[in-house]
Amino acid sequence: MLKAAVPRCPPLLQRRWQTHHSHQPFPPDIHQWSHPPSKATVSDDEISRLAAKPRRPLTLADLVKHGKPPLRDADLLSSANFTVSLLPARLAHRIQALRNLPFIVVANPNVSTIYNNYLHSLSTLEPFYKKPIETIEEEMKFTEAMADLVRTHSNTIPTMAKGFLQCRKYIDPAEVTKFLDQHLRARIGTRLVAEQHLALHMASTGEAAKQKPDPNHVGVIDLGLRPADVIRQCEGFVGEVCELKYGVRPSLVIDGDTDAEFAHIPMHLEYIITELLKNAFRATIESGNEREPIEVTIASAPDVSTTKLQALRKLSVSEENAYDFSQDGLEEYCSSSDADIGPLNSAAPCITLRIRDRGGGIPPEALANIWSYSFTTFNNEQAAAAGGDNGTDAGLNTIASSGSDQSSIAGLGYGLPLSRAYAEYFGGGIALQSMYGWGTDVYLTLQGIGKMEEAKRAPSGYEILQGEMAKKE
Amino acid sequence: MLRVAPLSRPRAFCVARCVVSQNRRWASSRGGRNPPPWRPASTLDDWVDRPIRPISLRQLFFFGRTLTEGRLLSSANYVRMELPTSRLAHRLREMQRLPYVVVTNPHLSLVYELYYKSFETFRRVPVIRTLEENDEFCKLISDNLKEHLAVIPNLVMGVLECQDLVSPDTMDQFVQAMLRARISRRVIAEQHLALTDTFDSPWHVPQISSENEFVGEVLLRCNAKEIIERCGRFTQDICKSSAGVDPIVPEIRIQGHVNATFPYVLSHLEYIVGELLRNSVQAVMDKYKDTKIPPPPIDVLICEAPQHVVIRISDQGGGIPRDIMSYLWSFCKGPRRATRLQNFKDVPTLAATMQEMRDSSLSTLASRPPGLRLGMGLPMSRVYAEYWAGGLELHTLEGYGVDAFLQISKLGNQNEQLTSRASIDGV
């Protein structure tokens, strides 16, 4: 029997291979791959050269140092050049990190989409980092490239999650968590500098420049952000979804320093607060305690003077942060003229929010996993449900699509780890304390920018220009 | 099975006495810079090699529940073997591994000598076979406990003085290991003394004791609410007494699962809760001392889960400044080192005066005046909390207040944690 079987096999195999060969060249042409390894025009040498450059640290103060919009042309150009000084090294570094993942992961269509997006974005930046941006026409082109970058990467998180979900058999969950953590944190920085330049450009040109500027906004940063207002706004949103899904909405009281304000990015704060309130509201309702209000306490610390070096040192100590910038060369950077951003680097106010619910706490067995992207620990059923386009666990999860990303990461368990990544990006943090059988306390700390009073009173670029014109006349 | 010391009983005690007299001579010169003498290392080697036998709260109280002569004697022999091994020999060996310059520090060499003396005393005690021998042994234990009352202040002072000589993390690990071993020695020694007391009391009948009672040092049903109330009143009184004319002390409110009970060593819990409340009451009083508004209350929540009891203490005393935060759990780091060192100089005398009232070093520490800030309440409370497999966490809302979370393992079946956090000497 065995003998009979053996001779039949080779011709069959051969025939199949031959037919295959007759229709398609081998290896196939690179553009006919379902997901080509690379179609971008950036050379490997260029990527390694850029990735080896030190990644310069980014602080909130860096983002407001170009002045208040509407900006004069010179300031707008310096903002563009500042942006272009940060981006290529960061993109190249991400490309290298992706390249170091196992082949089977990057070959996945979803992950390879992300990889190609990065290559594409780096290639669009090439004309700008080769020589400084000197004219307003070049700045316009650069702004277009920024808009393209923000658009291209807007759907990264769900695509990436889907890719890793499909590859979960071949890669260790701890490794996935580590990679995603670094990637998502690096992405916060990349998007932020791009969005900041876009926002500054928009506010300084066209119709917007002719209107009376908002004294508190510098691009994406609000110099007088009031946590109490953000909490109320997010409460309204989360409460509505609760009413829709459960028919009840728990109440929320705010105490402590309710008038506190500081300089931060409203987009980030809204994302974090929405995630945290969502957890608190859901736990409170599901444990049948909706009559117990959720308590939010706002604390604002007196300004502590600190130097930029100290602040950055603190930021770059943990391993999660090492992707974004490193201790190497920090001191040289801080003593260089680049780092000098005037009075803004001398003090760091600190806001702490405590969100206290009576939702029964977190079971001890779940506590270990709260900071990992929970799809990494899904079982097969959950993975199938989340992998499809419509997650079965809709309801409150749909809220996850709000915030800075107009994309759906519903049911993928991104809420807490991503919130913490946002908080930690500028030196804050989130801590959580569960009392199982009673409730949960969450502590959110955020650091703003010092000496905001001066910055708020400072004239905008347009006003300076007017002043200069008046002098000439 | 047990190695019987090749010495007859009277001689053993003679040796012990000799050590005492030697030590007295040494003690008279303790102000000087004399390094501790060299001793042959081989004796210590034998004891360091023996395994530790950790105990759990549950073992402590089940063992003591039905007390018979046989059990009392086996308890005595457990203490006799256990004290010199892990709990003294390992600490001595670890001290010997520290740099010479550290051990010759006057405070630390005092600690070293005290330890060596105890080790020499206990390792020579032969098997205890009768109640009379047990009584002598108990006398030895309680003398030893009294003598060691000054260890904590000396240890911390020594460590503060040697801060620049060794890396602060090494020092912290060293202090934590020392304290853990010290707690463990006192737990098993005091437990045995308490059992002997119970056995000797005229009304003792060997039967299962009723539920609501102490077995030795272990209180079977610690009621969190009662302990918080008691420590709260004590703390309020102490803080009131030193805060000028007619101070307003913040109220302490308790809510949550107020009926939660669990077995615990009462003095440990009182110490931790006392330190935490003291921090809170003092912070609130400091913040509101110049205002006419009544200070906000301190909110205590008791939460009972299947395996744990969590006590949360929330105050509105202004929180902890950022520059202190990272040194909070350290015995020797931080910007307030000099004041702390000065304050410590006052503690040994305190220990001496209070000891007549109650032979516990913890009560001495608990009743120190509020102005005396030692900076070791939190790190030490954490060592105590972790000892019975619990935990202590602190979250600050800078500019507002502090929440402290004390987690207690409820079932009492967790072994004492002799090597948690820092795996100190590879026992």
Side-chain angles (χ1 to χ4, degrees), chain B residues 236-311:
Chain B
Q236 285 170 329
D237 288 347
I238 280 198
C239 293
K240 204 175 194 166
S241 64
S242 63
V245 197
D246 201 19
I248 313 165
V249 189
E251 185 197 349
I252 297 173
R253 297 191 302 203
I254 304 175
Q255 60 160 344
H257 306 135
V258 290
N259 295 320
T261 63
F262 46 87
Y264 215 80
V265 177
L266 189 60
S267 61
H268 291 185
L269 193 61
E270 283 178 343
Y271 173 71
I272 305 172
V273 172
E275 284 296 326
L276 296 178
L277 286 177
R278 190 188 179 99
N279 284 343
S280 292
V281 171
Q282 273 186 315
V284 173
M285 283 174 75
D286 281 354
K287 194 179 173 197
Y288 287 85
K289 67 176 176 232
D290 297 327
T291 57
K292 288 283 158 259
I293 22 170
I298 288 154
D299 276 306
V300 182
L301 171 78
I302 303 163
C303 163
E304 185 178 23
Q307 292 180 8
H308 294 111
V309 172
V310 180
I311 298 175

Side-chain angles (χ1 to χ4, degrees), chain A residues 19-279:
Chain A
T19 50
H20 195 76
H21 186 76
S22 63
H23 289 284
Q24 265 182 1
F26 188 85
D29 182 77
I30 201 154
H31 295 293
Q32 284 171 340
W33 278 41
S34 60
H35 37 87
S38 163
K39 61 184 174 210
T41 50
V42 192
S43 74
D44 284 2
D45 287 351
E46 185 70 358
I47 290 170
S48 8
R49 187 184 67 82
L50 289 170
K53 278 175 39 175
R55 289 177 301 288
R56 290 170 48 178
L58 177 68
T59 61
L60 275 178
D62 282 325
L63 294 176
V64 297
K65 72 176 175 183
H66 304 291
K68 287 205 288 190
L71 295 180
R72 289 171 299 173
D73 288 357
D75 291 331
L76 203 55
L77 287 178
S78 86
S79 162
N81 282 312
F82 172 73
T83 311
V84 90
S85 73
L86 293 174
L87 284 180
R90 284 162 189 256
L91 292 177
H93 194 248
R94 281 296 96 207
I95 292 171
Q96 283 215 321
L98 277 158
R99 284 178 171 188
N100 288 333
L101 287 175
F103 175 80
I104 192 166
V105 175
V106 190
N108 173 288
N110 289 306
V111 182
S112 106
T113 304
I114 302 300
Y115 175 68
N116 287 330
N117 284 348
Y118 272 87
L119 280 175
H120 166 76
S121 296
L122 186 57
S123 71
T124 60
L125 285 179
E126 218 169 357
F128 304 105
Y129 68 75
K130 292 271 162 77
K131 69 178 205 54
I133 300 163
E134 277 160 346
T135 67
I136 216 68
E137 284 73 39
E138 283 173 338
E139 193 274 334
M140 296 281 269
K141 280 203 193 110
F142 175 70
T143 305
E144 271 166 36
M146 285 300 99
D148 177 68
L149 182 133
V150 170
R151 208 170 38 238
T152 311
H153 294 269
S154 63
N155 220 27
T156 298
I157 299 182
T159 312
M160 191 88 118
K162 214 176 277 176
F164 277 106
L165 200 58
Q166 287 159 353
C167 299
R168 64 201 200 92
K169 258 201 273 179
Y170 318 113
I171 183 167
D172 176 42
E175 218 171 303
V176 176
T177 304
K178 196 177 160 214
F179 176 83
L180 279 177
D181 225 32
Q182 297 200 341
H183 193 86
L184 296 181
R185 281 161 194 252
R187 182 174 173 273
I188 294 173
T190 332
R191 282 184 81 75
L192 199 61
V193 282
E195 282 172 349
Q196 176 69 354
H197 181 73
L198 268 181
L200 290 177
H201 179 93
M202 294 307 174
S204 311
T205 53
E207 282 304 301
K210 296 189 187 100
Q211 278 156 20
K212 192 174 157 41
D214 177 345
N216 276 355
H217 278 80
V218 178
V220 296
I221 292 175
D222 185 345
L223 298 179
L225 184 61
R226 291 167 52 87
D229 293 351
V230 177
I231 293 163
R232 282 293 170 214
Q233 182 194 332
C234 298
E235 181 214 351
F237 177 56
V238 178
E240 255 169 49
V241 182
C242 281
E243 258 174 25
L244 201 69
K245 175 151 193 226
Y246 298 99
V248 279
R249 91 194 273 171
S251 60
L252 182 146
V253 293
I254 303 179
D255 56 15
D257 189 356
T258 48
D259 292 325
E261 59 170 57
F262 72 135
H264 213 272
I265 302 160
M267 207 162 57
H268 287 185
L269 188 61
E270 279 161 24
Y271 177 82
I272 301 170
I273 302 272
T274 308
E275 282 301 325
L276 298 181
L277 287 187
K278 195 183 84 184
N279 290 342

Side-chain angles (χ1 to χ4, degrees), chain A residues 293-305:
Chain A
I294 284 140
E295 258 180 81
V296 183
T297 307
I298 302 171
S300 74
D303 289 8
V304 176
S305 50

Side-chain angles (χ1 to χ4, degrees), chain B residues 83 86-88 90-91 94 111 114-115 118 144-156 174-190 268 271 331 351 359-365 376 380 383-384 387-388 416-418 424:
Chain B
L83 281 185
S86 63
R87 306 174 197 238
L88 285 166
H90 281 98
R91 290 313 101 216
E94 204 194 355
V111 175
L114 278 174
Y115 270 50
S118 308
N144 190 267
L145 287 180
K146 264 184 212 147
E147 210 169 26
H148 278 239
L149 280 178
V151 163
I152 294 184
N154 272 294
L155 183 68
V156 182
F174 167 70
V175 181
Q176 280 165 10
M178 288 292 274
L179 287 176
R180 236 178 344 254
R182 186 188 138 89
I183 299 169
S184 83
R185 288 193 313 272
R186 296 191 90 85
V187 164
I188 59 173
E190 282 170 7
H268 291 185
Y271 173 71
F331 284 94
D359 277 344
S360 158
S361 50
L362 285 183
S363 60
T364 321
L365 279 173
M376 64 169 215
M380 189 129 125
V383 173
Y384 272 99
Y387 184 73
W388 294 115
E416 48 179 346
Q417 304 290 304
L418 288 167
I424 353 105

